[in-house]
Amino acid sequence: MTTIRALIVDDEEPGRINLRFALQDHPDWQIVAECTSVAAARDVMAQQAVDVIFLDIQMPRETGLALARSLSLNLSLTTATTPPLIIFVTAFNAHAIEAFELHALDYLLKPFDDQRLAQALERAAAMLKLRQQASYAQALSNYVKAEDEAKNDTPAYWQQISVRSVGRIECIQLDEVIWIEAAGNYMQLHLKQNQIRNQNQTQRQILHRVSLSQLEKHLDPARFMRVHRSAIVRCDQLTQLDVLGDGVYQLVLSNQDRVAVSERYVADVRQRMQDGLRPA
């Protein structure tokens, strides 16, 4: 059984105690240190290897985001070649939770229960087993960059999205996304075939547990457009707009997928197609 080395970073003693006792039920997890500040955590990581950090967000002097930022930019802070996985621990904050979900990062919402902790531990263990730290490092970097842009009130549209599947995080380039479909609390990315890795080549969709509305805020409207409450398409994929009946419309995309179009978006779709935003 491989031991997973964990570091707890939380300025509040009850939070550290609760997590320490909860981890006692998971013998393959070893707490190497408990820190009350980001500075103390940096000292620990400079001296010994850490696989996973349980990182509180709101702390005095330096926040958890500051540590995440430094890890994503400067690996010399640790003894490893890739940053440790971070399980963010936070009290309820709608923005923080949405950011973690968008970037496929894991978090625990205080107070958390045993089942939610077990799920986070299982995800982390699977990623470590599959040696997915490199893809995690990219997702962490994207998260930090987006948070810094939001703080400076200069948000930039995304060029890629981090998607979680079993035991891995995959960074998908938005240039490879043909269209995006709502699927309950998930969204389904319809991709070019060559973007599906280690899977049957006939598979062309990836599910991500983020709502369509959450993602839409980060997409460049010059490249992507909403055509239905359950669909966003890439503008250069439009080839044909069919009228199926009174107020019933359907788009045909370059890959021959057919996507329903709501009547409220028809004029915008026609304008895009008239402007010549079609594949060559």
Side-chain angles (χ1 to χ4, degrees):
M1 179 172 58
T2 302
T3 298
I4 299 175
R5 297 158 297 195
L7 172 64
I8 299 174
V9 185
D10 192 333
D11 63 303
E12 296 182 349
E13 185 176 15
R16 298 193 305 274
I17 292 174
N18 290 340
L19 190 50
R20 182 198 314 149
F21 280 116
L23 286 174
Q24 288 179 354
D25 292 332
H26 302 271
D28 47 340
W29 286 73
Q30 174 192 1
I31 300 174
V32 298
E34 297 180 21
C35 299
T36 61
S37 68
V38 167
R42 289 195 179 100
D43 290 341
V44 169
M45 288 185 290
Q47 299 174 29
Q48 59 183 306
V50 173
D51 299 312
V52 178
I53 306 174
F54 293 91
L55 180 61
D56 189 24
I57 296 297
Q58 299 299 329
M59 289 185 288
R61 293 182 293 277
E62 282 188 284
T63 67
L65 179 61
L67 180 58
R69 180 186 299 109
S70 59
L71 286 173
S72 71
L73 298 175
N74 187 2
L75 290 177
S76 64
L77 294 171
T78 76
T79 61
T81 57
T82 54
L85 304 183
I86 297 177
I87 298 176
F88 293 93
V89 183
T90 182
F92 181 76
N93 180 302
H95 168 77
I97 291 172
E98 179 176 319
F100 300 148
E101 291 176 342
L102 280 168
H103 293 279
L105 301 176
D106 217 342
Y107 66 93
L108 293 172
L109 183 61
K110 295 179 180 178
F112 54 84
D113 58 29
D114 291 342
Q115 182 178 2
R116 182 64 185 88
L117 174 63
Q119 181 187 52
L121 299 183
E122 183 179 358
R123 287 174 175 174
M127 290 193 67
L128 291 170
K129 183 178 181 180
L130 295 175
R131 301 184 182 278
Q132 282 288 301
Q133 292 96 318
S135 59
Y136 176 85
Q138 182 63 61
L140 181 63
S141 177
N142 292 342
Y143 160 71
V144 169
K145 180 180 178 182
E147 288 298 289
D148 287 344
E149 289 171 346
K151 183 178 180 180
N152 296 328
D153 202 26
T154 56
Y157 296 119
W158 288 358
Q159 303 300 314
Q160 59 187 8
I161 180 173
S162 300
V163 178
R164 179 190 296 280
S165 58
V166 179
R168 68 176 64 245
I169 290 178
E170 184 173 5
C171 292
I172 304 294
Q173 299 298 317
L174 286 172
D175 281 343
E176 304 300 331
V177 175
I178 297 173
W179 67 290
I180 309 164
E181 179 180 16
N185 293 328
Y186 290 78
M187 63 178 182
Q188 191 170 50
L189 303 174
H190 295 254
L191 311 176
K192 295 180 180 178
Q193 284 190 358
N194 61 6
Q195 286 299 296
I196 307 297
R197 299 175 187 150
N198 302 321
Q199 300 181 42
N200 190 306
Q201 288 297 305
T202 61
Q203 185 177 348
R204 299 167 48 251
Q205 297 89 31
I206 290 181
L207 281 174
H208 185 33
R209 191 176 173 79
V210 171
S211 73
L212 204 62
S213 296
Q214 284 178 303
L215 178 63
E216 185 180 16
K217 294 182 291 186
H218 303 282
L219 297 178
D220 185 350
R223 299 175 60 207
F224 290 89
M225 67 179 300
R226 193 80 171 244
V227 299
H228 192 275
R229 62 182 176 82
S230 62
I232 294 174
V233 301
R234 210 172 86 209
C235 297
D236 62 359
Q237 299 299 302
L238 314 180
T239 62
Q240 183 177 317
L241 178 64
D242 294 334
V243 181
L244 303 183
D246 187 15
V248 181
Y249 305 88
Q250 186 179 73
L251 261 177
V252 181
L253 304 180
S254 62
N255 67 344
Q256 300 305 305
D257 279 358
R258 297 178 179 272
V259 180
V261 179
S262 298
E263 191 167 13
R264 62 177 293 193
Y265 296 111
V266 168
D268 290 341
V269 170
R270 284 176 171 154
Q271 186 63 55
R272 292 274 187 168
M273 298 180 74
Q274 289 171 5
D275 288 343
L277 292 177
R278 301 186 180 93

